[in-house]
Structure formats: structure tokens, C-alpha cells
């Protein structure tokens, strides 16, 4: 299928917008083509002031409203896995519980459906009851140092100032408050190298890793309640490396850990917890990446107003966000933030990524209803 440029699509169709976004590949670090298309679409809207920052695109209204909100989404995806271009399953042929059409392809869930929701609102609500800043940014799916929203916090902080931020991460059309924090830690075990034919002269560092793995296998995660929402933590080995040749006893082994922690702990407290889990083992720990979580903040007036406005779509109370999202970056700036978008978060990054078409329409309509008051 040949997809027309975004600026040539009917802007009143969030499904068509989603499919056009999906069919422009934008793996992290290669978002330029999609950013160009988004910029062109937004510059065609006379009610918006537009700014480009690298491969991030920002747009805002300036109507002098009493309240300003941010609607944000990332443009990048994880690598393509034979799941582009997009395709649809007809009603009854997909896995939509309601029996509707399902759109398949990389980014349908994480998070081009959410980006389309925001673009739909940007193009169809020229006079919102709240001033709106739309933020579309790059490199969310890679290490936090490259995150485009983090860069914007340094280069354009005034564009991120707001009373509330809504991040279009996949939530199945529900409101998800806050997010978990995340750590990556390298756990290093030391041994002594030797020829594998005389292994008794060495100490195998890879074999010693079983002690670390046993602790992780027996680990019971916390499920704390934070501001009325229940989080479920995790501590997992996500990689292991060691050895230099097939005939050498390895003298070093590194087990990479990922810890997802509830927002009642800081990254420093979470790292202390990892140390407690591995206490007594002869290992070295090196923190390689961290990002703080965010408390739900649903007691703030702007957040309560959003929850009430989208209630006809959600039909359920807010729930905790199990995973890290950039609501944490807004929280660090003093802006309460929440997650709301189409798609099942459990399908994010999956090769069979897909989204019910009805969720694309429902979420876009709900966001528009809130902005129109």
C-alpha cells in the first residue's frame, strides 16, 4: 500500500492517521522522515505555533486560557520485525473482544496510535478551552541519555511548562497513573583463567553466576499501594556474558539486572534494595542506567478533570502504570502527568503488535471532548 503524505490525509480520521504513521518506519535514531511529515502537518494548521528541535516537533496554541496542558507522544519504535507495512484484520477476524477491525504492525500500540490521537486533536480543535502544547519527540525506546523529551527539558523548558501532561502511551483506553522507575545494573563475578583441559587450575566465573541467579529466581517482588494505586515490582536477569574462547575457563562473568520499582522509592533506594538482595555474595555492582518513577498525582485538580472527562470511554477507575514512561520526566519538572492511549501495553514491542480500531477512535474522541470542554 502506498501511503500519502500526512499533510494530505483527512485530519478528521484518527485511524487513517495511525496507519500513515505506522507505515513510515521510525526506529529509534531514524525518526527524521516521520518528524518531517509531522512537522508539515502541524505547520499547515494556522492556529498552531510550531518549533522543531532535532527530530522532535512541538506545537502550541496561545489563546490566553487560564490553564495549559501538554499532550505528548514519542515518534520512535523498537526495530521492525517483519511487521511493516501495516495491515488490518476484518471484523471478527482479529482479537478485538468487541468483534471490530484490528490494525496490525510495528508501532500500532507503542505508540503511534497515541501520536495519531494527539495529531487528531491538534488539527481538529483550533480553540480548546485549555491552551495546549503538543510534543512529539524522538529516542524514547533507547537509553535515557538519548531521550528527546529529556533534551527538550534542557533546550525548550518553557514549552513543557503546564498544569497537566497527558502521555499517549498504550493503556487500552484507560487512565494509568504514575509509572515505575527502572534501573539497569551489571553484576560482575571474578574467577581465574585456565586452559579448559586443566580446568582445576582455574576458577570458572560463569559457574559462580548460579548464586546470583538463584537469588533472583527466589525473589518475591513487592506490590505496594501508592496514592491508591497498586504497583507490582520486578527484579530480573536480562542478560549474561562471559568467556573469551572455547578452550579457556572464563575469569569474568557479568549478569545484567533490570529492576522495576514502585514510585514510593527513589533510584538510590532501589539500588540499595538490589544490594540487599545480593548481600553476602562476592560480586561487584555497577549502575549502568536509571530513571526515576512518578507518583500518580491523581489528586491534582487538572488530573481529576481529565479522569472525569474521559470516564465515558474508560468505564473503569484509574490503574497503576506497570512500566516506565516519560510521565516521570514531567513529574521531575513539577508537572503532574498521566498515561492515556489506545492499545494493550502487553503488546508493546511484540512482533504481533496490534490495536483495535475502535480504541483509536474512542481515545481520540475522548481527548477532543476534554479539550473542547
Amino acid at each position: 500500500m502506498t501511503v500519502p503524505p500526512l499533510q494530505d490525509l483527512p485530519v478528521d480520521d484518527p485511524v487513517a492517521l495511525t496507519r500513515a504513521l505506522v507505515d513510515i518506519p521510525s526506529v529509534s535514531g531514524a525518526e527524521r522522515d516521520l518528524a518531517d511529515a509531522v512537522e508539515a502537518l502541524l505547520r499547515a494548521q494556522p492556529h498552531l505555533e510550531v518549533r522543531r528541535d532535532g527530530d522532535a516537533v512541538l506545537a502550541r496554541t496561545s489563546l490566553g486560557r487560564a490553564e495549559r496542558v501538554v499532550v505528548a507522544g514519542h515518534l520512535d519504535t523498537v526495530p521492525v520485525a517483519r511487521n511493516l507495512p501495516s495491515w488490518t484484520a476484518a471484523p471478527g477476524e482479529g482479537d478485538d473482544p468487541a468483534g471490530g477491525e484490528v490494525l496490525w504492525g510495528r508501532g500500532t500500540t507503542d505508540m503511534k496510535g497515541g501520536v495519531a490521537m494527539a495529531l487528531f486533536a491538534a488539527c481538529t480543535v483550533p480553540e480548546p478551552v485549555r491552551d495546549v502544547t503538543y510534543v512529539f519527540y524522538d529516542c524514547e525506546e533507547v537509553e535515557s541519555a538519548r531521550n528527546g523529551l529529556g533534551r527538550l527539558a534542557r533546550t525548550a523548558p518553557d514549552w513543557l511548562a503546564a498544569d497537566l501532561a497527558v502521555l499517549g502511551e498504550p493503556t487500552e483506553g484507560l487512565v494509568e497513573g504514575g509509572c515505575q522507575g527502572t534501573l539497569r545494573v551489571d553484576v560482575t563475578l571474578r574467577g581465574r583463567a585456565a586452559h579448559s583441559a586443566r580446568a582445576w587450575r582455574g576458577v570458572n566465573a560463569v559457574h559462580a553466576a548460579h548464586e546470583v541467579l538463584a537469588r533472583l529466581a527466589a525473589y518475591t517482588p513487592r506490590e505496594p499501594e501508592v496514592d491508591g494505586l497498586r504497583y507490582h515490582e520486578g527484579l530480573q536477569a536480562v542478560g549474561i556474558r562471559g568467556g573469551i574462547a572455547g578452550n579457556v575457563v572464563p575469569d569474568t562473568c557479568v549478569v545484567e539486572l533490570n529492576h522495576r520499582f514502585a514510585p514510593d522509592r527513589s533510584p538510590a533506594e532501589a539500588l540499595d534494595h538490589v544490594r540487599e538482595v545480593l548481600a553476602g555474595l562476592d560480586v561487584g555492582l555497577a549502575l549502568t542506567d536509571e530513571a526515576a518513577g512518578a507518583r500518580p498525582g491523581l489528586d491534582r485538580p487538572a488530573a481529576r478533570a481529565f479522569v472525569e472527562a474521559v470516564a465515558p470511554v474508560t468505564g473503569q477507575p484509574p490503574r497503576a502504570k506497570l512500566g516506565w514512561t516519560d510521565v516521570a520526566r514531567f513529574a521531575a519538572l513539577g508537572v503532574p502527568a498521566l498515561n492515556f492511549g489506545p492499545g494493550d501495553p502487553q503488546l508493546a514491542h511484540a512482533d504481533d503488535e496490534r490495536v483495535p480500531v475502535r480504541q483509536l477512535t474512542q481515545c481520540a474522541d475522548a481527548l477532543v471532548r476534554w479539550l473542547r470542554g
Side-chain angles (χ1 to χ4, degrees):
M1 182 185 73
T2 300
V3 179
L6 290 182
Q7 64 267 32
D8 294 338
L9 288 174
V11 295
D12 58 352
D13 187 348
V15 178
L17 279 173
T18 300
R19 189 159 189 180
L21 293 170
V22 169
D23 287 338
I24 301 176
S26 57
V27 175
S28 303
E31 301 95 335
R32 179 63 53 84
D33 289 347
L34 181 56
D36 288 347
V38 169
E39 181 183 10
L41 178 62
L42 294 173
R43 289 195 183 279
Q45 312 307 315
H47 61 282
L48 295 174
E49 174 191 1
V50 180
R51 172 173 175 169
R52 180 75 176 256
D53 185 303
D55 285 333
V57 185
L58 306 95
R60 65 185 176 189
T61 64
S62 297
L63 301 170
R65 305 303 197 211
E67 188 176 55
R68 176 170 292 277
V69 296
V70 167
V71 180
H74 63 82
L75 298 175
D76 61 321
T77 71
V78 297
V80 175
R82 300 181 302 278
N83 49 6
L84 284 184
S86 61
W87 69 98
T88 57
E93 296 180 3
D95 59 354
D96 179 5
E101 282 189 326
V102 176
L103 178 63
W104 295 66
R106 174 62 77 222
T108 49
T109 288
D110 192 12
M111 59 170 286
K112 292 184 177 180
V115 170
M117 173 186 75
L119 285 172
F120 174 76
C123 295
T124 58
V125 188
E127 295 187 0
V129 297
R130 303 164 176 84
D131 270 316
V132 190
T133 303
Y134 298 97
V135 180
F136 305 97
Y137 58 99
D138 52 318
C139 287
E140 190 270 351
E141 298 289 7
V142 289
E143 61 270 24
S144 60
R146 295 172 58 191
N147 185 289
L149 189 59
R151 182 183 71 252
L152 292 172
R154 299 186 298 272
T155 62
D158 57 312
W159 281 74
L160 302 184
D163 299 286
L164 176 71
V166 176
L167 192 63
E169 288 282 356
T171 64
E172 295 184 289
L174 304 179
V175 175
E176 293 188 334
C179 74
Q180 293 171 305
T182 181
L183 298 176
R184 285 206 294 266
V185 179
D186 279 351
V187 181
T188 302
L189 302 103
R190 301 293 181 184
R192 185 172 64 252
H195 196 294
S196 60
R198 293 175 291 277
W200 60 89
R201 297 179 62 87
V203 176
N204 193 311
V206 172
H207 291 182
H210 81 276
E211 298 178 329
V212 173
L213 300 177
R215 294 280 182 95
L216 298 175
Y219 179 73
T220 300
R222 290 196 315 150
E223 296 186 41
E225 185 174 294
V226 182
D227 296 347
L229 302 183
R230 186 166 299 281
Y231 291 82
H232 191 292
E233 296 188 329
L235 180 59
Q236 297 288 319
V238 294
I240 186 167
R241 57 189 186 271
I244 59 172
N247 59 356
V248 177
V249 173
D251 63 353
T252 303
C253 180
V254 179
V255 180
E256 184 180 7
L257 306 186
N258 179 228
H259 180 32
R260 300 296 176 123
F261 56 93
D264 61 339
R265 281 180 170 166
S266 68
E269 292 169 330
L271 183 58
D272 284 343
H273 177 63
V274 173
R275 292 191 179 102
E276 292 171 358
V277 172
L278 301 179
L281 300 182
D282 185 14
V283 299
L285 268 65
L287 179 67
T288 61
D289 192 37
E290 69 175 20
R295 299 184 75 97
L298 294 179
D299 57 339
R300 305 287 285 270
R304 288 201 305 268
F306 181 85
V307 171
E308 293 169 1
V310 303
V313 170
T314 65
Q316 297 183 37
R319 64 186 183 188
K321 183 64 175 179
L322 299 184
W324 188 91
T325 73
D326 278 325
V327 297
R329 296 187 186 277
F330 285 107
L333 295 171
V335 179
L338 48 82
N339 306 276
F340 175 77
D344 182 351
Q346 297 184 84
L347 293 175
H349 304 182
D351 290 353
D352 58 349
E353 192 175 350
R354 58 199 183 274
V355 62
V357 166
R358 63 179 173 82
Q359 284 187 13
L360 298 173
T361 301
Q362 289 172 346
C363 289
D365 288 346
L367 181 63
V368 165
R369 182 168 53 250
W370 176 59
L371 293 178
R372 286 176 173 163

